[in-house]
Amino acid sequence: MSGVIDNKTIESAMYIKPDKELHDMPGFIEGIRRAPYRNFTLSPQQTETALKNALRYVPEEHHGVVAPEFLDELLNRGRIYGYRYRPPGNIKAKPFDQYRGQCIEGKAIQVMIDNNLDFDVALYPYELVTYGETGKVCQNWMQYRLIKKYLEVLTDQQTLVVESGHPLGLFRSGPEAPRVIITNALMVGSFDNAESWNTAEQMGVANYGQMTAGGWMYIGPQGIVHGTFNTILNAGRKILGISENDDLKGVVFVSSGLGGMSGAQPKAVEIAGGVGIIAEVDASRVETRHSQGWINKVSGDLAEVFRCAEEAAKSKESLSIAYHGNIVDLLDYAVKNRKKIDMLSDQTSCHAAYDGGYCPQGLTFKERTEMLQADREQFRRMVDQSLEKHFYLIKTLAELGTYFFDYGNSFLKAVFDAGVQGVSKNGFDDRDGFIFPSYVEDIMGPELFDYGYGPFRWVCLTGKPEDLKKTDLAAMECINPDRRGQDRDNYVWIRDAEKNKLVVGTQARILYQDAAGRTKIALRFNEMVRKGEVGPIMLGRDHHDVSGTDSPFRETANIKDGSNVMAEMAVQCFAGNAARGMSLVALHNGGGVGIGKAINGGFGMVLDGSERVDKILSCAMPWDVMGGVARRSWARNINSITTSMEYNMENKGKDHITLPYIAADSYVSELVEKAFHRKKS
Ligand SMILES: NC(=O)c1ccc[n+]([C@@H]2O[C@H](COP(=O)([O-])OP(=O)(O)OC[C@H]3O[C@@H](n4cnc5c(N)ncnc54)[C@H](O)[C@@H]3O)[C@@H](O)[C@H]2O)c1
């Protein structure tokens, strides 16, 4: 080694270090999905740096073997994954007590990481992608191994720092501090764009954590299914005029994607009593959801698809159908044949449209993967053409009475970026939003987030189904179904959760709850752990929540005071959770909408039955929700104002939220109009 210090000396100064031995190259199991080629764009100089960066995890004596492999991965796959360092076979979450560790959090967090990489759960497990086309646990397998080593020795006097997948080290803290703090893809302002990001990721200094992929709290498609159910059910009630006590029977919902999150759509429509047709280009994803029981019927024949859907709708039976093919072909057929679609959305990965997230019409999934490698420019042109056609088909259907909403996948933004100015409200830029609403703007924002209802979740760390059963029951007992309509829906949800067979991967549950509900359930669970009724539990939530995410095209789409371009709520939420002692806290750039378009954060909290945990839950759980409700209230969102008013009354002497005075619309507009008029004249 050149320079002032040799590798032997460096190695002797680390007591936790990358593996000394050279692992055998593990094989790849046939049929497990692989990530497509990611665009390689580095200069020779940058390539050298990228190689040296990855070799930081490898003892010098192995550089001769490993460096050519890393270079090959970079040139031919677009990223260095370090396949040689992947443990062979399937990675599956084990019960927490089968992991090595010095504290329960160290073991619990290993359960979560492994669950995110399970063949049944992850989208591209060999490339560490959990979901969302590019959302990763960490960048490469060397990091995975080193993170696990740190978690094995981590004590309750230390905090592990993880920066874009790289375990920076252990630093002393205390039992009330987080055990792990994660950041992903946080870029300095003027570099916060897709191009700089792509360079940084190739160089091995940035990880796309999406939301719960890099925050290690993903629980399979179940994590999103309750939100999807809430969205389509409430859309039906609000737009189609279905009554509060009724479900979606007879309603036809069409969308696309059977991937990580989108795969929740068929199950959600089914639970809501409706008929769902979901287009998916990738046969393997159709097969995965079908074998998991998340889809009833599969067909590549559009006449058959619509015939079955119409029959089920007519007889008011619930049915989910996977159409193996392109969503644009499906919509083309629907328009030409005048098929009735009540509600329509899209969940292709448009936040990464040119990286393979959107398969253009005219290409099979296989051809899409080949073209990504062979001719990205042509792929880009085809994506743009397809998005344009896709948009005009939606417009035609909307004119015929279909309710279309953007599902937070940046679809409308992608259409705009493809050159279709007509998709924007003002006809020239995207500052005033788009002509179709997003699901948060119309439904999830006002009906759920503004009250504090969001995707609360837990994982039974023993892996025992009976623990999950007991927690389901306990959570149900904590909900008063007569309090609000949302509480009634949530009560029914948890009552039927086991019956609906939602578990994929480890024993986990999703349940939308507000601040009071989450706190009550969390404390009840910790008590159950204390009494030995169940084993330890990991609590958490999706980043896609009330307070966790600032994202003007999604989570904060219904914030209209101009502050939706600010990222302070998400950062405060993260910092506040760390300060109050959540076990794991994460803050990311990007999420489900793309780099530079969102800042999102989440947490994980290990319930060990202790009084220390009771104390943390009592202040951290309300904060994690009410910080966002307070901000939404300050933005003059009416349901948040009333929720904050109640909160102030109920928490006198403990918490207090500043409330906004409301100016009269007519007075303000008259005043401004006169002033502008005076200025002109
Ligand atoms: N489910 C939710 O509540 C939710 C919420 C917010 C955002 N999203 C967004 O939805 C998108 C999808 O998320 P995911 O985790 O499922 O991603 P994913 O990449 O795992 O799945 C997307 C699927 O779409 C398929 N696809 C792509 N183009 C297609 C086409 N033209 N026709 C038919 N199928 C096509 C892909 O093969 C893939 O299986 C992301 O952008 C995500 O951010 C979802």
Side-chain angles (χ1 to χ4, degrees):
M1 183 195 128
S2 59
V4 283
I5 189 162
D6 69 75
N7 277 324
K8 285 281 162 257
T9 317
I10 290 174
E11 193 174 300
S12 65
M14 286 191 285
Y15 63 93
I16 305 160
K17 52 190 154 208
D19 290 347
K20 190 94 184 82
E21 70 272 29
L22 187 64
H23 299 279
D24 290 338
M25 180 65 89
F28 296 97
I29 296 171
E30 199 53 40
I32 301 297
R33 272 182 300 272
R34 302 292 306 277
Y37 165 71
R38 309 280 181 212
N39 207 11
F40 172 73
T41 56
L42 298 184
S43 68
Q45 186 61 49
Q46 289 170 321
T47 306
E48 280 182 29
T49 308
L51 260 190
K52 286 193 269 185
N53 286 349
L55 290 169
R56 290 181 285 198
Y57 297 105
V58 180
E60 191 179 353
E61 59 266 36
H62 304 316
H63 286 187
V65 175
V66 171
E69 286 173 10
F70 284 177
L71 183 60
D72 181 64
E73 289 178 17
L74 187 57
L75 299 179
N76 295 311
R77 297 214 146 254
R79 301 292 181 269
I80 297 175
Y81 299 112
Y83 290 124
R84 178 179 283 278
Y85 288 84
R86 187 189 184 280
N90 191 5
I91 295 174
K92 264 201 174 309
K94 296 180 285 195
F96 79 104
D97 50 5
Q98 289 180 23
Y99 287 94
R100 277 199 293 265
Q102 310 301 315
C103 63
I104 186 169
E105 291 85 353
K107 297 178 187 182
I109 292 168
Q110 293 184 66
V111 174
M112 303 309 294
I113 293 178
D114 284 355
N115 192 48
N116 273 24
L117 292 166
D118 186 331
F119 284 165
D120 288 339
V121 174
L123 179 60
Y124 304 128
Y126 285 115
E127 285 78 25
L128 301 112
V129 173
T130 302
Y131 70 101
E133 187 58 37
T134 52
K136 289 165 73 173
V137 167
C138 54
Q139 295 178 60
N140 58 53
W141 291 103
M142 293 78 79
Q143 292 177 342
Y144 167 85
R145 284 190 182 260
L146 195 52
I147 289 168
K148 294 203 93 175
K149 284 192 177 192
Y150 274 113
L151 290 171
E152 285 172 1
V153 298
L154 174 81
T155 72
D156 69 357
Q157 303 295 323
Q158 294 167 317
T159 295
L160 171 64
V161 176
V162 181
E163 295 178 355
S164 269
H166 169 63
L168 192 72
L170 291 182
F171 296 87
R172 78 193 78 167
S173 56
E176 266 84 43
R179 297 278 69 81
V180 179
I181 300 187
I182 301 171
T183 51
N184 272 307
L186 298 180
M187 305 195 65
V188 170
S190 54
F191 298 92
D192 195 358
N193 55 64
E195 203 189 329
S196 307
W197 150 257
N198 274 318
T199 304
E201 204 197 23
Q202 291 172 77
M203 292 185 71
V205 294
N207 182 47
Y208 200 77
Q210 187 101 6
M211 291 190 152
T212 50
W216 306 342
M217 284 298 303
Y218 186 69
I219 55 166
Q222 182 187 182
I224 206 72
V225 72
H226 194 184
T228 311
F229 165 83
N230 278 328
T231 303
I232 54 178
L233 182 62
N234 282 301
R237 286 177 183 162
K238 208 167 164 167
I239 312 293
L240 308 179
I242 291 166
S243 90
E244 281 296 299
N245 300 316
D246 221 342
D247 62 10
L248 296 186
K249 61 175 86 64
V251 170
V252 176
F253 170 71
V254 170
S255 188
S256 56
L258 290 173
M261 288 198 285
S262 49
Q265 296 176 103
K267 188 72 152 184
V269 196
E270 217 191 302
I271 298 173
V275 176
I277 308 174
I278 315 295
E280 169 58 64
V281 282
D282 178 5
S284 95
R285 283 176 246 212
V286 173
E287 169 48 27
T288 301
R289 295 297 171 228
H290 194 223
S291 65
Q292 289 168 345
W294 281 57
I295 196 104
N296 302 140
K297 191 178 165 52
V298 178
S299 173
D301 174 354
L302 283 165
E304 188 192 6
V305 165
F306 276 98
R307 193 183 57 250
C308 293
E310 281 160 2
E311 279 167 13
K314 207 168 157 202
S315 55
K316 309 260 190 263
E317 276 165 24
S318 64
L319 178 69
S320 59
I321 310 169
Y323 164 59
H324 178 215
N326 200 299
I327 181 69
V328 185
D329 291 333
L330 186 151
L331 297 182
D332 222 354
Y333 179 90
V335 168
K336 283 190 186 128
N337 294 280
R338 294 260 161 179
K339 294 292 170 193
K340 183 169 173 284
I341 297 174
D342 300 296
M343 295 199 290
L344 175 63
S345 195
D346 183 81
Q347 273 200 50
T348 55
S349 274
C350 274
H351 69 278
Y354 303 118
D355 289 327
Y358 181 88
C359 180
Q361 188 186 29
L363 289 185
T364 62
F365 185 67
K366 188 164 168 275
E367 287 164 350
R368 153 266 193 201
T369 309
E370 285 162 2
M371 192 179 277
L372 273 169
Q373 177 116 30
D375 190 349
R376 284 184 93 93
E377 270 320 299
Q378 174 62 3
F379 182 77
R380 210 185 164 91
R381 278 191 294 274
M382 287 189 77
V383 167
D384 285 351
Q385 275 167 13
S386 184
L387 280 168
E388 183 173 1
K389 180 157 181 204
H390 194 157
F391 169 70
Y392 283 112
L393 288 167
I394 291 171
K395 227 172 151 230
T396 307
L397 287 163
E399 281 155 16
L400 296 170
T402 300
Y403 170 61
F404 174 82
F405 61 96
D406 181 291
Y407 216 129
N409 60 341
S410 275
F411 174 76
L412 295 173
K413 175 84 172 88
V415 170
F416 180 79
D417 291 344
V420 186
Q421 288 191 328
V423 69
S424 78
K425 238 180 209 162
N426 61 21
F428 55 90
D429 67 20
D430 57 8
R431 248 181 312 179
D432 298 326
F434 303 106
I435 60 169
F436 292 115
S438 92
Y439 72 125
V440 172
E441 219 168 350
D442 256 22
I443 307 151
M444 198 161 249
E447 302 301 320
L448 296 162
F449 286 170
D450 284 356
Y451 290 95
Y453 291 100
F456 177 62
R457 64 179 56 173
W458 64 92
V459 170
C460 294
L461 293 166
T462 57
K464 291 184 185 161
E466 56 270 31
D467 277 12
L468 187 62
K469 215 175 174 141
K470 287 180 198 162
T471 53
D472 281 351
L473 202 65
M476 193 174 90
E477 284 167 8
C478 290
I479 302 173
N480 171 7
D482 301 324
R483 182 168 160 248
R484 286 193 194 120
Q486 292 92 332
D487 295 304
R488 192 194 52 242
D489 289 345
N490 294 336
Y491 181 87
V492 172
W493 175 266
I494 193 70
R495 187 195 65 197
D496 296 346
E498 192 193 356
K499 187 182 83 190
N500 286 324
K501 296 196 179 73
L502 302 167
V503 173
V504 175
T506 195
Q507 294 295 316
R509 186 63 75 220
I510 182 80
L511 173 64
Y512 266 63
Q513 282 294 286
D514 68 350
R518 298 189 212 199
T519 311
K520 195 170 171 189
I521 295 172
L523 288 167
R524 173 88 181 86
F525 283 0
N526 198 38
E527 193 189 6
M528 289 167 75
V529 178
R530 183 156 53 238
K531 289 183 174 161
E533 293 168 20
V534 290
I537 290 169
M538 173 69 101
L539 282 190
R541 60 164 172 75
D542 198 345
H543 297 197
H544 172 54
D545 198 359
V546 180
S547 319
T549 297
D550 278 300
S551 175
F553 298 115
R554 218 168 80 175
E555 286 78 357
T556 42
N558 74 324
I559 288 186
K560 306 285 186 192
D561 69 346
S563 73
N564 59 355
V565 298
M566 309 299 288
E568 285 165 330
M569 175 178 75
V571 175
Q572 285 283 356
C573 181
F574 162 83
N577 283 342
R580 287 167 180 81
M582 295 288 206
S583 315
L584 174 156
V585 288
L587 190 69
H588 304 170
N589 182 1
V593 285
I595 284 293
K597 300 186 187 115
I599 295 292
N600 66 89
F603 77 86
M605 181 71 210
V606 178
L607 309 188
D608 61 2
S610 67
E611 278 172 28
R612 172 187 67 87
V613 166
D614 274 348
K615 261 195 229 152
I616 294 172
L617 294 174
S618 305
C619 58
M621 296 303 291
W623 157 251
D624 182 59
V625 181
M626 292 310 294
V629 175
R631 183 270 177 103
R632 288 165 187 276
S633 155
W634 191 241
R636 295 184 291 270
N637 289 13
I638 195 70
N639 295 335
S640 290
I641 296 178
T642 52
T643 307
S644 300
M645 286 164 66
E646 282 168 22
Y647 190 77
N648 275 358
M649 300 294 200
E650 286 164 8
N651 293 278
K652 226 171 181 174
K654 286 193 234 154
D655 297 352
H656 188 271
I657 294 171
T658 311
L659 295 164
Y661 291 115
I662 310 290
D665 286 346
S666 54
Y667 172 70
V668 173
S669 48
E670 212 176 291
L671 197 67
V672 172
E673 207 182 304
K674 272 190 200 152
F676 269 71
H677 186 71
R678 261 202 312 277
K679 215 170 162 207
K680 259 199 207 154
S681 54

